[in-house]
Amino acid sequence: MSRFLRTLMPLALVIAGCASEQPAPVVDYSMSSNTPATPTATASESANYRVVRGDTLYAIAFKHGLDYRDLAAWNGIAAPYTIFSGQELRLSAPATTAPMQAAPVITAKPATPPPEPAPGSAVTIGISEQPAAVSAPAFEDVPAQTPTAVVAEAAKPAKANSTTAPIVAPPPVTTIAEAQPPKPAVQIPAPPKPTSPPPKPPETAHADNTPELSSGGVTWRWPSDGKVIAAYVSGEPTRQGIDIGGKLGDPVHAAADGEVVYSGNGLIGYGELIIVKHNASFLSAYGHNRARLVKEGDRVKAGQAIAEMGSSASSRDELHFEIRKNGKPVNPLEFLPAR
């Protein structure tokens, strides 16, 4: 028997040891849902442009189809928009996306119940702790009378004596209907007369009998006397204006009053180019010239000769003419007078 117990005891100790072991802790290394997401970098940075000799802010904006005011604001450049060779200009608005933040976790606290009154204590709700003193009635009880009797007694004159003051009759009561003044008669206005749409601005003639048209706050005229040989096509990069035919050396006129903001040949595809600013919204451009007759900063008048027609960056003698509104090309035929 003792031998059997000696054999059984080690086995019992092994079983007891296995039962006392705790399971190994499990650690979750997956990302918690409360962990804020890290914003990823954009796939491509905004495009920049390096200023070269001869560039102006207007020409760079014109080349990239931008409003010169936006380009200046994105790069912190104030009027008169001076730039320098080698300067880096961004061609898009700076990013304003803020980093993501994890939302705070708000845990509502349970409301604390009011303390319960002790057993046997009195509970007072909306009543003063000190009872109000009971006073004797100021007047004796008067038996109820019918309304008719009360009116009859009130109508009787009071007896005059040495100790009683006369009863003064109350002032007459004015009803609301009597107090209100009579309402004036309501007059229905006549329906407005239909208005006709504003007429198109009339075309006028310049001193040299050249037709003009006022549009967009600018009085426009044709920059050349030749015929249109290539029309404007919206969205086509090489057809952002019109081409006007002519002979080598024909005069090119300013289409409206303004200031020359570019005079050079730094824009590929335009040859000898002149850009005139007419107001805050409108620019006009004259390309493929043989010679430029004005320089940057010059003030020009409508009809003034600013260049000579040529074939620079073109296969024929012609004038390439564009109008830009807020930096975007528009159809010049919508602004020039009919002819």
Side-chain angles (χ1 to χ4, degrees):
M1 182 66 179
S2 60
R3 185 176 181 180
F4 175 74
L5 292 176
R6 287 196 300 270
T7 305
L8 186 61
M9 185 173 297
L11 181 60
L13 292 175
V14 172
I15 295 174
C18 293
S20 62
E21 291 182 356
Q22 298 293 331
V26 178
V27 180
D28 184 8
Y29 289 100
S30 61
M31 182 177 292
S32 172
S33 59
N34 293 330
T35 303
T38 303
T40 57
T42 56
S44 61
E45 298 296 332
S46 59
N48 292 340
Y49 176 82
R50 184 179 297 274
V51 178
V52 298
R53 184 179 178 84
D55 276 342
T56 68
L57 186 81
Y58 294 94
I60 296 171
F62 184 91
K63 178 179 180 180
H64 295 90
L66 302 173
D67 190 325
Y68 69 92
R69 293 165 295 185
D70 292 337
L71 183 60
W74 297 338
N75 294 276
I77 302 174
Y81 311 120
T82 303
I83 56 177
F84 305 94
S85 179
Q87 182 178 355
E88 286 279 346
L89 299 181
R90 64 179 307 122
L91 302 179
S92 61
T96 57
T97 305
M100 300 176 61
Q101 297 181 355
V105 179
I106 301 175
T107 304
K109 296 182 179 181
T112 305
E116 297 182 358
S121 61
V123 179
T124 303
I125 302 177
I127 302 176
S128 176
E129 295 181 359
Q130 297 181 357
V134 179
S135 60
F139 303 94
E140 296 182 356
D141 294 338
V142 179
Q145 296 179 350
T146 62
T148 304
V150 173
V151 173
E153 292 182 3
K156 293 179 180 180
K159 295 180 179 180
N161 52 50
S162 59
T163 60
T164 305
I167 300 175
V168 180
V173 179
T174 304
T175 62
I176 297 176
E178 295 175 354
Q180 293 179 348
K183 295 182 178 180
V186 178
Q187 297 180 357
I188 301 176
K193 297 180 180 180
T195 58
S196 58
K200 184 179 179 180
E203 296 182 2
T204 59
H206 197 258
D208 57 0
N209 295 326
T210 302
E212 295 178 337
L213 176 63
S214 295
S215 180
V218 180
T219 301
W220 301 94
R221 58 171 288 164
W222 282 83
S224 178
D225 297 331
K227 295 182 179 180
V228 176
I229 56 178
Y232 166 88
V233 178
S234 178
E236 176 59 43
T238 61
R239 305 285 292 277
Q240 298 299 284
I242 59 175
D243 292 339
I244 303 174
K247 300 187 301 293
L248 181 67
D250 281 353
V252 174
H253 306 282
D257 297 349
E259 177 186 356
V260 178
V261 293
Y262 180 77
S263 179
N265 54 13
L267 275 69
I268 298 175
Y270 288 91
E272 299 296 333
L273 174 67
I274 295 173
I275 301 177
V276 178
K277 174 186 174 184
H278 304 291
N279 58 21
S281 300
F282 284 94
L283 304 173
S284 61
Y286 313 77
H288 302 328
N289 301 297
R290 179 180 72 173
R292 294 175 278 109
L293 306 180
V294 291
K295 62 183 182 300
E296 294 166 11
D298 286 352
R299 298 289 304 181
V300 296
K301 302 294 290 184
Q304 177 181 337
I306 59 175
E308 295 177 358
M309 188 179 296
S311 58
S312 58
S314 175
S315 58
R316 58 189 174 187
D317 295 328
E318 63 183 9
L319 167 65
H320 179 75
F321 178 70
E322 294 187 14
I323 295 179
R324 298 287 179 102
K325 181 180 180 182
N326 296 327
K328 304 300 180 183
V330 294
N331 188 355
L333 297 181
E334 296 178 359
F335 297 86
L336 297 174
R339 66 176 189 179

